[in-house]
Amino acid sequence: MSVTGLARPLRGFVLYATVLLIAAVASAQLDLGPEQILQGSGGDLFVPGYSVPSLADWNNDGLADLIVGTGGGGSYDAYIRVYPNIGSGLDPQFGPFSYVQSQTGDLIQDLTYVGAACPACGCMGLFPRVVYWDDDGRKDLLVGQIDGTVRLYSNIATDAAPLFDAGVFLQVGPSGAKGDIQLSARATPSVVDWNDDGRKDLLVGGLDGQIRVLLNEGTDAAPDFLDWIVVGDGSAPLIVPTLRSSPDFVDVTGDSLLDLLVGNSEGQLLLYPNTGAPGSPEFAGYSLVEAAGVPIDLPDSPRSRPFIADFNCDGLADVLIGAGDGRVHLYQGVPEPATILLVLMSLPALLKHRR
């Protein structure tokens, strides 16, 4: 809230008024504007297969770059592209892409080698998220794969110019009996602090529509997962309608509790408000997220894969959604209308100033 003194002539009067600007406050929903398609060099930014977008400052220039997983849907090889932000923080513009690099060249996965249960034509290539996994100050890559496994690629170079090793599969289970994480096909992982203990946990969606949490029983620098839990919706397991859950875990409602924002098979965006307490999330039902007053529902069955961030540094939450059309859909946050209240002080005295 801000209060500003004002003096100006109005119809022959000099009015001394106090203007009360009541700023927009957090809404119980995301307030999003109409759909936009992110632009690259010469038109719509487009990748082969299914797009999986996120934002990260890849080259440490202070600007958020666009990271996009590709592949699936008939594109048999899966890459991760980096589109550098050549604009500004307030006005992001994306230049020509480069591929994420490993020791042997482009970091690439030939999806024809994935098991028969998840053929190369599956509805996802790679699901990448930039993370600081081992607290060495260098960005690493966490990648979900169409067979449900989750692979960690460690950065063996610098934070400003990442180069990755061959990767290892993340595992779960007690000491001496660990196995690769493979909870459901189409793994969509994110790093979160689920129980508010200061250690990174793992949130994973998948083909079966459920969302699972692997609590970190190790340290923040050396995570160790002994088991997983299935996120609940009331007293039942949470199963995202139309399946293929793709969750992000953020405070949407402004109550300092992290909520679930989830994509699904049909291209919708679902909000599950957190009705629990810090460190003990609970959920009971969802609402469809709207953009410009209309529920987000991308055409056909595109498999919406959302990422929420402040895209243009205006302090409002924006949503990027990847989909089967290979494009990146952007929905920018819009502020609630400010309320302006004019309070006229001592009106009889002001009338004496008539000219």
Side-chain angles (χ1 to χ4, degrees), residues 54-69:
S54 61
L55 297 173
D57 185 357
W58 189 258
N59 54 5
N60 289 11
D61 65 354
L63 300 176
D65 306 302
L66 181 67
I67 319 299
V68 186

Side-chain angles (χ1 to χ4, degrees), residues 285-304:
Y286 68 89
S287 60
L288 293 176
V289 175
E290 297 183 348
V294 178
I296 294 173
D297 191 356
L298 301 180
D300 302 319
S301 298
R303 286 67 163 135
S304 48

Side-chain angles (χ1 to χ4, degrees), residues 81-325:
R81 294 183 176 188
V82 177
Y83 293 85
N85 184 353
I86 58 175
S88 66
L90 296 174
D91 183 23
Q93 304 289 330
F94 299 105
F97 72 86
S98 61
Y99 290 118
V100 169
Q101 297 294 296
S102 70
Q103 291 171 289
T104 56
D106 297 339
L107 195 157
I108 179 175
Q109 290 193 22
D110 183 346
L111 300 185
T112 58
Y113 290 101
V114 176
C118 302
C121 61
C123 55
M124 191 175 79
L126 297 179
F127 188 102
R129 290 292 184 256
V130 175
V131 298
Y132 285 84
W133 188 259
D134 51 9
D135 291 353
D136 66 356
R138 297 179 292 181
K139 57 178 68 73
D140 306 305
L141 271 177
L142 192 68
V143 178
Q145 303 184 140
I146 64 174
D147 64 349
T149 55
V150 179
R151 182 174 276 182
L152 173 68
Y153 292 92
S154 295
N155 186 354
I156 57 175
T158 67
D159 192 49
L163 180 70
F164 299 97
D165 64 11
V168 297
F169 291 107
L170 292 189
Q171 296 194 319
V172 61
S175 180
K178 290 188 179 295
D180 295 344
I181 293 172
Q182 196 170 19
L183 308 177
S184 172
R186 311 323 188 244
T188 56
S190 295
V191 169
V192 303
D193 184 0
W194 184 262
N195 54 0
D196 204 24
D197 66 354
R199 295 178 290 184
K200 57 175 71 72
D201 306 309
L202 197 59
L203 184 69
V204 186
L207 178 65
D208 63 4
Q210 295 191 356
I211 300 171
R212 296 170 175 86
V213 180
L214 293 90
L215 294 176
N216 181 2
E217 305 294 345
T219 67
D220 196 51
D224 184 18
F225 305 112
L226 303 182
D227 205 347
W228 69 84
I229 58 174
V230 176
V231 175
D233 184 0
S235 59
L238 189 158
I239 301 178
V240 174
T242 77
L243 310 183
R244 291 178 176 83
S245 57
S246 182
D248 205 352
F249 195 47
V250 291
D251 181 10
V252 172
T253 59
D255 59 2
S256 299
L257 297 176
L258 299 180
D259 309 298
L260 283 172
L261 193 68
V262 191
N264 65 0
S265 291
E266 294 303 309
Q268 298 166 320
L269 196 58
L270 289 68
L271 172 62
Y272 290 81
N274 186 349
T275 60
S280 183
E282 295 180 6
F283 307 93
Y286 68 89
S287 60
L288 293 176
V289 175
E290 297 183 348
V294 178
I296 294 173
D297 191 356
L298 301 180
D300 302 319
S301 298
R303 286 67 163 135
S304 48
R305 289 172 175 129
F307 182 82
I308 188 167
D310 185 356
F311 176 77
N312 57 350
C313 299
D314 64 354
L316 300 173
D318 310 304
V319 178
L320 300 173
I321 298 182
D325 62 2

